[in-house]
Structures are given as C-alpha cells and as structure tokens.
C-alpha cells in the first residue's frame, strides 16, 4: 500500500446547494422575477412548459406536475382507485413515503425484501408476495439506480397488476437504455431540494404514457375537478407551483452534467480510498456501491456499507473531522411503529434489516473539490485500517 503524505484536512458537507445556486443565480432570479410580475402562481404556462420538458426528457407521453413526490404517489393510487382491502407491494428499505402513501389511501403495504447489491426490490421474491388483493406493484429506484424492471414487469404483466415506479431519487437514471419515468405504467418523481433536480421547496411530477390515467391525474390534483366546479372524483390540492416549475426548468438542462460529476466523484473517491490503503469490506473496510448490468446510476446518494456493527462509529469518525454523512434509512418500514398493526417483526426482511444497520451515505455532490475528495477518501481509508 502507498504511504503518500496525508491530504490536508478540509470540511466536506454532505451536500452544498449554495455552490449550485451561485452558478445559476442570475437566470433563476430572472425567471422567478417574471413569475412575480405575472402574479400567476398556480399551474399555468411555466408548469405546462416544464411538464413538456420532463415528458421529453423521460420519454413518457405525459407529465403532470404535482406538489411533492409523496403527493405524486398518493395521486396515482387515488387515480387507480386503490383503497381499503387492497394491497400494494413495495420495498421495506426506502423513504417512508413509499409505504406512507399506501396507508393514506387505506390500503395495506406489503413488503418484498431487497437485493443486497442494489438495495432495490428483489424480483425473485416478488411473485410469492402477490395475492388477489394486490392492486399495484411499486418498485423504488433507490439512491439513483433503477430496480431490475424486466422481471418485475414480467410478473406484473402476467398477473395484470400495474407498476408505479418510485423514482423520487432517480430522475435521469436508466434501465437498458430506457429512462426512469418510462419503465412502468406510471412514475413518481420528487423535486425536494436534496434530489438531483431540486426545487426551492417541495415539488413533484407523475409521468405516464396512459392517456386516461393522465387525464384522471390532472383532475386529481385539482380536487377531482373535470370542469370548473364539477367534481368527478374526490381528489386533493396536489398542484406544482409556477415558481418551482420556473426554477426547475432552469436547472433541468444541467441535470445530466451534474449526474456525470456525481458518477465521476463516486469512482474517484473509491479509487483514492484504495490508493490510500483502504481495506476491502471482507477485511473490515468499506463496500462501495456498484452499478448493476444495464443500469445508469445517477448517485442521488453515494451509499457505502461497513460491517461488524461499526457503521455508527464511522459516522462519528467522519463528523469529528467535519465530514458530513447520513443514515438512509435506520429503520426498515416493516418495523416502524405506525405499521405495527401489519404485524412486521425483526427477521422478516433480513437484507433490508442488514442494510439499515450497515449503510452510510457520503458526500458525492457535483461541486466537491479535489481537496475534499482526497481528504474524504483518506479519512475513510484511515478508519478502515484503524478498525482492524
Ligand atoms: C423523496 C422521496 C419520496 C417523497 O418525495 P417528497 O417530494 O419528499 O414528498 C418518496 N420516495 C422516495 C424513495 C424518496 O426518496
């Protein structure tokens, strides 16, 4: 192993959105200024233009702006008429909303364990979770990488069950050359500020190529209104703000470049870790994320594994050196207090439970400097050796 001198200490936040804003500030102030002058804040031409841009970007026929990723999921389930007595299959190792939206329409979340390599729903375990009550399959494209969609769609098609992609972390990711958003019957995206395409507040989008579903979703986000004050459905207020659409539309042309920088950073940090004498997972070190075959990973999160019950000490070790890190997600959804009535217990989904104990998200944002990457990698390597 090399023994080059240690790189100088620098602080490394988990995410620094100020740097991105600085590069786009003039344009963002201009377009948001136009929204202020127009005093048109709800839907309107800015939202329509951004919807068209997202449809074109993902390859889906329709894109419907929504108030958040969560509301996008909720609106799809409402539009599909999912409710009490129905089951929706999803991953237990994801952000809460993936199952929360299911519970909010009165349906039951049914979990399928993850593939430990990708952290995404394991298709080999899907079929046995399906029953006559299953009305929707919702794979999550976690951390920026698509779930294994071919076998998922095969099972769904055979059983006649629609597929909703939860691509809230994965705008721009792809599976066998097809982008997230065009891989299922519908897809939910989030523009929460920390997502790869982040707004200045909450925002979301549903994509679909189903004309009837798109029309229902447009009604759902307006209290189920199909013509002024005529309500065919009970919907909600799930609209995307014109201000958010304006900001997001300025950012969209940069999305692929930012994802490219994230991919390069992930690769470089792993290379520097090995060069700094970092140990492999099997010898007490870190396991770096892998891009599965046919996948295009956009690294919304750069999540490593550390075994031996040392994940929390790695987080502390980094934080002492002013390096940001976060645990996504410490409690799998089947073990959440609010889902106790579903009867989930420890041991039900061993890979999800292991991931919840072993994973740590590290800085990977596009604007990381060489000095920050060098210090991060060297610090990770130091931890791995010290843990022997
Ligand atoms: C962020 C996220 C959501 C919810 O999106 P919001 O815009 O925050 O409501 C849903 N699912 C996953 C996997 C997410 O990461």
């Amino acid at each position: 192993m090399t023994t080059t001198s240690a790189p100088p200490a620098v602080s490394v936040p988990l995410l620094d959105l100020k740097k991105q804003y600085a590069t786009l500030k003039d344009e963002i102030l201009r377009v948001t200024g136009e929204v202020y002058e127009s005093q048109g804040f709800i839907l309107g031409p800015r939202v329509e233009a951004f919807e068209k841009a997202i449809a074109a970007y993902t390859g889906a026929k329709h894109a419907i702006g929504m108030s958040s990723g969560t509301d996008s999921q909720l609106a799809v389930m409402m539009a599909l008429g999912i409710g009490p007595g129905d089951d929706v299959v999803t991953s237990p190792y994801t952000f809460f909303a993936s199952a929360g939206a299911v519970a909010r329409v009165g349906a039951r979340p049914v979990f399928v364990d993850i593939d430990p390599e990708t952290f995404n729903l394991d298709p080999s375990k899907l079929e046995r979770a399906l029953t006559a009550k299953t009305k929707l399959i919702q794979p999550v494209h976690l951390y920026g990488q698509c779930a294994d969609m071919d076998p998922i769609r095969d099972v769904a098609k055979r059983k006649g069950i629609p597929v909703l992609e939860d691509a809230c972390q994965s705008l721009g990711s792809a599976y066998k050359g097809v982008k997230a958003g065009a891989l299922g019957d519908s897809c939910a995206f989030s523009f929460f500020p920390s997502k790869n395409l982040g707004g200045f507040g909450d925002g979301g989008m549903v994509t679909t190529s189903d004309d009837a579903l798109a029309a229902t979703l447009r009604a759902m986000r307006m209290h189920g209104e199909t013509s002024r004050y005529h309500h065919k459905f009970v919907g909600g207020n799930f609209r995307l703000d014109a201000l958010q659409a304006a900001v997001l539309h300025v950012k969209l042309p940069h999305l692929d470049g930012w994802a490219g920088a994230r991919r390069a950073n992930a690769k470089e940090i792993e290379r520097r870790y090995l060069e700094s004498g970092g140990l492999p997972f099997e010898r007490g070190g870190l396991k770096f994320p892998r891009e599965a075959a046919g996948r295009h990973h956009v690294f919304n999160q750069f999540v490593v594994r550390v075994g031996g019950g040392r994940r929390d000490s790695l987080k502390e070790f980094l934080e002492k050196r002013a390096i940001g890190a976060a645990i996504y997600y410490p409690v799998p959804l089947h073990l959440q207090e609010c889902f106790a009535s579903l009867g989930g217990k420890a041991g039900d989904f061993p890979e999800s439970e292991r991931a919840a104990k072993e994973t740590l998200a590290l800085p990977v944002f596009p604007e990381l400097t060489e000095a920050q990457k060098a210090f991060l990698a060297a610090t990770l390597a130091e931890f791995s050796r010290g843990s022997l």
Side-chain angles (χ1 to χ4, degrees):
M1 292 297 165
T2 48
T3 49
T4 47
S5 59
V10 279
S11 73
V12 192
L14 182 59
L15 181 62
D16 181 356
L17 287 169
K18 286 182 183 166
K19 283 188 174 175
Q20 185 193 79
Y21 178 55
T23 67
L24 299 172
K25 188 171 174 177
D26 292 346
E27 212 182 335
I28 286 174
L29 290 178
R30 184 177 60 75
V31 297
T32 51
E34 287 170 11
V35 176
Y36 296 138
E37 293 302 327
S38 77
Q39 289 290 300
F41 296 114
I42 306 295
L43 298 178
R46 297 236 167 233
V47 171
E48 284 163 30
F50 179 57
E51 287 174 342
K52 284 204 174 79
I54 290 291
Y57 180 82
T58 57
K61 190 168 167 194
H62 306 281
I64 302 103
M66 294 283 177
S67 36
S68 68
T70 306
D71 288 344
S72 300
Q73 295 171 287
L74 188 60
V76 168
M77 292 177 206
M78 291 169 79
L80 294 174
I82 292 169
D86 296 335
D87 287 352
V88 175
V89 170
T90 194
S91 165
Y93 181 67
T94 172
F95 179 61
F96 178 75
S98 310
V102 178
R104 279 180 64 195
V105 296
R108 186 174 71 133
V110 171
F111 299 112
V112 170
D113 209 0
I114 56 166
D115 166 1
E117 294 302 314
T118 62
F119 304 109
N120 286 324
L121 192 148
D122 182 343
S124 73
K125 298 180 175 149
L126 174 59
E127 192 155 358
R128 75 184 81 134
L130 305 179
T131 69
K133 291 180 173 178
T134 313
K135 294 291 152 59
L136 183 67
I137 298 170
Q138 183 191 224
V140 181
H141 304 325
L142 203 68
Y143 301 147
Q145 173 157 245
C146 288
D148 192 3
M149 292 303 286
D150 274 352
I152 292 172
R153 284 184 304 201
D154 282 350
V155 174
K157 202 169 175 188
R158 232 174 333 102
K159 302 274 179 179
I161 302 168
V163 174
L164 164 63
E165 302 169 67
D166 178 348
C168 285
Q169 299 183 3
S170 298
L171 180 63
S173 67
Y175 178 84
K176 300 189 180 175
V178 178
K179 283 219 176 81
L183 290 163
D185 300 286
S186 59
C187 177
F189 290 108
S190 167
F191 306 120
F192 184 81
S194 66
K195 310 293 166 127
N196 282 15
L197 186 67
F200 287 7
D202 283 306
M205 185 80 72
V206 177
T207 57
T208 181
S209 293
D210 179 327
D211 297 344
L213 181 60
T216 307
L217 285 165
R218 287 186 189 283
M220 278 302 166
R221 71 176 174 184
M222 289 281 279
H223 293 287
E225 188 180 84
T226 40
S227 63
R228 198 79 180 118
Y229 299 124
H230 292 262
H231 299 261
K232 186 170 173 182
F233 317 100
V234 177
N237 176 353
F238 302 142
R239 296 175 298 243
L240 179 65
D241 288 343
L243 273 172
Q244 298 306 336
V247 170
L248 292 163
H249 210 156
V250 168
K251 288 189 172 194
L252 181 59
H254 302 278
L255 179 65
D256 288 347
W258 291 331
R262 285 171 177 273
R263 291 167 59 82
N265 286 345
K267 216 179 234 176
E268 186 180 339
I269 292 161
E270 181 176 358
R271 177 178 59 75
R272 284 179 183 267
Y273 171 84
L274 296 171
E275 284 172 7
S276 311
L279 299 180
F281 185 75
E282 295 68 30
R283 291 174 52 210
L286 305 187
K287 185 169 198 166
F288 285 84
R290 286 283 160 264
E291 187 173 59
R295 251 52 75 91
H296 180 74
H297 197 324
V298 294
F299 289 96
N300 178 239
Q301 299 295 346
F302 177 46
V303 174
V304 298
R305 269 186 200 268
V306 58
R310 288 173 301 105
R311 187 267 312 272
D312 293 353
S313 41
L314 172 58
K315 183 165 182 277
E316 227 170 84
F317 190 85
L318 295 174
E319 280 166 354
K320 271 199 192 124
R321 288 154 183 82
I323 296 173
I327 299 168
Y328 303 117
Y329 298 90
V331 183
L333 300 185
H334 66 290
L335 300 178
Q336 293 289 346
E337 190 176 345
C338 64
F339 292 139
S341 62
L342 297 176
K345 52 188 189 316
D348 285 352
F349 303 105
E351 290 301 345
S352 297
E353 291 165 29
R354 190 161 70 88
K357 291 192 179 91
E358 290 186 346
T359 56
L360 191 65
L362 303 174
V364 75
F365 63 90
E367 298 83 5
L368 279 176
T369 64
E370 289 306 308
Q372 286 176 318
K373 285 180 266 188
F375 181 59
L376 168 60
T379 307
L380 294 170
E382 187 191 341
F383 176 85
S384 82
R385 289 191 305 271
S387 70
L388 269 185

